[in-house]
Amino acid sequence: SLVWGARPGMLFQKTKDRSLHPLDLTWVFGYNSSLAVHSLMDGEDRVLLYVSSHTVVIHEILQNRQYHLKGHTNVISCLCVSEDKRWVATADRGPDPLIIVWDSYSGVPVRTIFGSHSEDGLCAIAISQDAKYLVTISAATVQKVSVWSWTLPTEKPICSTELKPEFGYQDYVIFNPQNPHEFVSNSKTQVLFYLWVISHSLHSHTAWLLSPQTFKCLVGQFSQSVFHFNNTQALTGTSAGKLMVWDMDNPRTLPEELLAKPHGITATKVVSVQQEGLTVLQVVESCIVTGDVKGQVKFYDGQLRLLTIYSHDNVGPLQSISFSTILRDPLCALPGSSQPFLTSWSDSSNSVSLMLNRNFILSTSDATMFHVATDSTNFERIMKEAKKAVNAIACHPQEPLVAVGSHCGLLKVWEYKETQYLVSRIFTEAGIQCLSYDPEGHFLAAGFTDGSVYILDAISLQSICEEFQFSQGPVTHISFSHDSKYLATADENHSVTVYKRVLQNGSRCWEHLAGLESHYKRIRSILFGVHPDSNEPRLLSLGEDRQLVEYDLTSSIKDHLVVTHRDRLEQAAVPLCLTWYPQLSTESFFLTANNCYKMKLYNTTTKMCRKTLWGPTYGSPLEKIQILPRTSSADPQQHYLVYITKDKVGLQMLPVDGNPHKSSAYVCHPDGASDFAISHDGRYVFTAGGTERTFMKWKVNLHALDAAAFLSGENLIPFYNLLDGGREGKFFRELEDYFYYVQLCSQGIQTLEKRQVSTHIPLEEIPSVMRAIGFYPSEEEIEDMINEVKFSKYADTGEEVTKINLDDFIKLYINHRPALGLSMKTIQGAFQVLGYNNKKGNKVIDRGHFLSLLQCRGEQMTEDELAVCLTTLLGRRPGKGGSELDTCDPTGAAALTEEEIPAEITAEIFVTDILGLPIAE
């Protein structure tokens, strides 16, 4: 097998097969600096292992290659590596958490444990010295400690125990290297020691609560704990620069006797080793190694006597120390003996001299890694990444360059084909929120969290003019016009600001033109285009207030931004993103996506909704969309759309038609994707991970998506599968019956003339059939559906369509019906807005107010329409004398409503008693 024959270093020797996925992760930038970085190999093959978001990265530094271990769908919260650096265990925190054990030699996941801690995932994990056992600690409010034998095919732990809340939040755990049946964990204030035996319960013994009175000195908070190599003591580092020493009675008791005679743990002394807080504590061979908040690494002997110090001014607070497994000088190892960590001897003055023979890797909490060569005390910085959220990303329009900005003010430019870092700049005043290159590639504009805007040289990153400060809140969007004459921004205060490039003193510079608070809710997109009848720039903004605002840049003057049109795009849904649609027909469109998983095409001139389509449904709506630039090898008639959802990146074939097999998506950033960019040649997509402090490079493979769409079937086959029961199901047969019944009705039920059987029905019958099969569209949705069919061929033929066939009706139904059905949660949300709390604390709507809302708000119903609806729903027929509902007195309901509708209506009463619908369990 791959695992049996695996050897160190063979991971990067494997020939990578051509990806079968439309998007293939090829590089991960940045890492989770709160987790440890491990040195797998050193010397000529310097290989590191670290975590980026939900991916384990094995990075060969000198050859600049990465291998990714992919299996988690949540952000990885903890990891550990076996002593021989072969076995890697990772765990995550979130829905359906996993524990995965990997073989680092082959990259194969050898064991996956499902449902280990289903509530909140895990916060700490450790592997025993013999690599047979794992210990995990859950991240729940009531923590659970479990011991696993990952080599056994079982989903249950060997033993487990729940921790008392007074023990504090235990977030660090480690095995005793000399006894896999004992381990220690600690919180900020408590240390717990554990003993376990197979088929028995787990026993823990707690140390005292931290207090100056207990130890007669200021101890500080606990950071990490280890077992002393003498196996009679344990040590705990603290934030006050002290080492707690714990004595363990009878340490060599056999495992079978542990429960009969557990350890007695005693805190014997507190050793003040330094002033700075200790963040890392390890035992390596016969040395005790500490790391602190100033980046110092210190080595002590077994009696805690200082042996040597490694330090550098540019090293920040240490998060982890990882020693290589390769000895720098083989001569230090005696034949037949174990390889020593260091060689020491005493001279006449009893001084200790050291010759270290293992290099090590330092990682800091501010996302920097160093390689330390012990023979030269040389600190080589091998990686410096963003230490705060990465929200801004942009690709150069002509060169293989990608710019990335973070909230820590770090702006970096990478050459992405060879993955080479080129240039960077740090802004200390504020964080970078958004980036954009101009179409010619000369400028890079940056929007900041303090509302400032910088326009930089695209190569040197130096400012070409003074920064602008015209936004009152963080700048969320920034974009150049197609001719690089205008720059527009949007900010969190719902304002759009425009800057203009002007000629001043013989040279071109930028100046502020005007700004406008054009929305009353969050702005989701700003979009430059070109006027169809001229080459002048066209600017649109889209907000969560459902308004699409178009600006007249030509008529705008200093401090006065002119608005030409305001159009409401949605009735109930919220539009989330906007882009220009490729010219696939004689009619021009722009494309939007809303929070109800619908994509809509609007005429660019009239703003009329021309088509509604079922969009990708991968757990959350589309957040941002862009058209993929065409590559030289791509079919000139085929276009694609790139999108991100809350946590995924995906591809969609165009034209959009509602076929789910024409799209695919992959988890990119479980904690939230903040932005994405596409390379100028359309070969790569880059996603920014926001608070994960990472960004990722994805290679586009269009043939894989084409194959998936082809295999889904032609014509209506993919759509039949979206109907309940498919083509042969009861729902489809009922739809056919309704379709032909409408034809009978249109010809007259009582007629004796010969029937004209057709495959079409009149457009005005679309609402009747939709309601008959259980979809109840609003009047505006009905108008959109009819217009969609009526004007489907108007741009090509100049004629209106007056009828629809069954195949087109099925597509219309699938694309317009609610993507996820009508949920009880949606109705309860409406009652939260419209209702009030009654005496029982339930959200209710008064009966009179309920009738008034139906007749006076939204799509208003007439008195007669409401009477017919209610009597039909409640099983009555309206009286011949006219309606029994009195709209002039909404509090005094008519006899019908008083009998059948209670005075206070809850969401449950509305659904079950009035609408007559079942509530799902």
Side-chain angles (χ1 to χ4, degrees), residues 602-778:
Y602 293 87
N603 183 283
T604 56
T605 303
T606 65
K607 311 294 187 355
M608 176 187 287
C609 180
R610 292 286 292 104
K611 210 160 194 177
T612 300
L613 302 142
W614 188 31
T617 50
Y618 295 106
S620 59
L622 306 191
E623 296 283 339
K624 296 187 179 183
I625 54 178
Q626 287 185 42
I627 301 299
L628 183 74
R630 289 190 296 179
T631 62
S632 57
S633 60
D635 182 355
Q637 301 301 318
Q638 187 64 63
H639 296 263
Y640 300 84
L641 178 80
V642 183
Y643 61 85
I644 55 171
T645 67
K646 180 183 176 182
D647 59 347
K648 298 177 181 67
V649 59
L651 273 179
Q652 167 76 51
M653 288 182 67
L654 300 181
V656 183
D657 60 2
N659 180 356
H661 300 282
K662 287 187 175 181
S663 70
S664 64
Y666 303 88
V667 175
C668 57
H669 302 284
D671 276 358
S674 59
D675 200 2
F676 77 99
I678 308 174
S679 64
H680 66 91
D681 57 5
R683 297 181 184 274
Y684 299 99
V685 175
F686 299 86
T687 58
T691 56
E692 295 176 4
R693 296 165 291 169
T694 63
F695 74 101
M696 297 181 177
K697 171 184 165 186
W698 304 79
K699 188 173 183 179
V700 177
N701 179 17
L702 300 178
H703 298 296
L705 185 59
D706 294 341
F710 175 78
L711 293 173
S712 69
E714 297 180 340
N715 301 323
L716 219 64
I717 292 176
F719 295 91
Y720 286 140
N721 296 329
L722 300 175
L723 299 175
D724 188 17
R727 176 67 175 80
E728 306 301 324
K730 180 181 177 181
F731 181 86
F732 182 81
R733 292 196 299 271
E734 287 184 353
L735 177 56
E736 281 186 314
D737 291 342
Y738 289 131
F739 208 78
Y740 291 118
Y741 177 71
V742 167
Q743 293 185 32
L744 295 177
C745 293
S746 63
Q747 297 174 27
I749 296 293
Q750 305 297 332
T751 183
L752 297 178
E753 297 179 4
K754 185 177 180 180
R755 299 286 182 180
Q756 298 294 324
V757 179
S758 171
T759 57
H760 294 75
I761 61 171
L763 293 187
E764 55 268 21
E765 296 295 341
I766 288 177
S768 301
V769 182
M770 288 289 183
R771 290 166 181 147
I773 59 178
F775 170 39
Y776 305 97
S778 67

Side-chain angles (χ1 to χ4, degrees), residues 320-559:
S320 69
I321 305 171
S322 180
F323 291 90
S324 67
T325 55
I326 299 176
L327 292 175
R328 184 179 55 79
D329 186 2
L331 297 177
C332 294
L334 299 176
S337 66
S338 61
Q339 294 178 333
F341 174 69
L342 54 88
T343 304
S344 63
W345 63 91
S346 300
D347 57 15
S348 56
S349 29
N350 250 353
S351 62
V352 180
S353 299
L354 301 170
M355 183 179 291
L356 300 172
N357 49 23
R358 276 208 235 176
N359 299 333
F360 54 91
I361 297 293
L362 301 180
S363 70
T364 68
S365 57
D366 56 5
T368 308
M369 296 184 200
F370 293 89
H371 177 268
V372 182
T374 54
D375 58 343
S376 63
T377 66
N378 178 39
F379 282 68
E380 177 190 354
R381 191 175 72 184
I382 56 178
M383 194 178 297
K384 180 177 178 59
E385 299 299 337
K387 54 187 177 182
K388 291 185 179 180
V390 176
N391 286 341
I393 191 165
C395 285
H396 195 280
Q398 298 172 7
E399 301 295 333
L401 306 177
V402 59
V404 183
S406 78
H407 276 191
C408 65
L410 176 64
L411 174 61
K412 296 181 74 171
V413 177
W414 294 79
E415 197 282 339
Y416 53 74
K417 285 189 176 179
E418 300 297 329
T419 320
Q420 296 291 333
Y421 158 72
L422 296 182
V423 64
S424 65
R425 179 178 174 182
I426 296 179
F427 298 85
T428 57
E429 296 82 9
I432 303 170
Q433 184 68 29
C434 51
L435 293 168
S436 177
Y437 282 99
D438 78 298
E440 298 174 354
H442 297 157
F443 308 118
L444 176 63
F448 285 76
T449 53
D450 65 350
S452 60
V453 173
Y454 283 73
I455 302 178
L456 313 172
D457 180 84
I459 302 301
S460 66
L461 302 186
Q462 295 304 307
S463 301
I464 64 169
C465 60
E466 291 293 324
E467 73 271 16
F468 296 105
Q469 186 77 56
F470 290 94
S471 297
Q472 300 304 311
V475 178
T476 56
H477 299 77
I478 193 165
S479 181
F480 284 93
S481 62
H482 73 286
D483 55 5
S484 299
K485 290 182 180 179
Y486 293 94
L487 172 68
T489 66
D491 59 48
E492 286 189 1
N493 283 358
H494 319 138
S495 298
V496 172
T497 307
V498 178
Y499 304 88
K500 188 176 182 180
R501 195 177 177 196
V502 296
L503 187 64
Q504 193 175 78
N505 298 328
S507 62
R508 292 199 172 272
C509 61
W510 291 88
E511 69 173 17
H512 172 257
L513 178 61
L516 181 67
E517 190 175 339
S518 47
H519 296 268
Y520 64 88
K521 287 188 177 181
R522 177 185 173 190
I523 296 175
R524 297 295 309 209
S525 295
I526 57 172
L527 185 66
F528 271 108
V530 182
H531 277 286
D533 53 351
S534 68
N535 197 40
E536 289 300 315
R538 185 181 184 184
L539 178 61
L540 306 173
S541 66
L542 178 67
E544 290 184 357
D545 53 7
R546 304 181 178 89
Q547 296 291 318
L548 178 73
V549 181
E550 182 167 0
Y551 307 87
D552 187 348
L553 298 178
T554 305
S555 302
S556 297
I557 58 175
K558 183 68 174 177
D559 296 328

Side-chain angles (χ1 to χ4, degrees), residues 47 67 123 171 184 214 304 687 708 779:
V47 180
Y67 190 92
C123 68
D171 56 4
V184 61
T214 303
L304 299 182
T687 58
E779 294 299 320

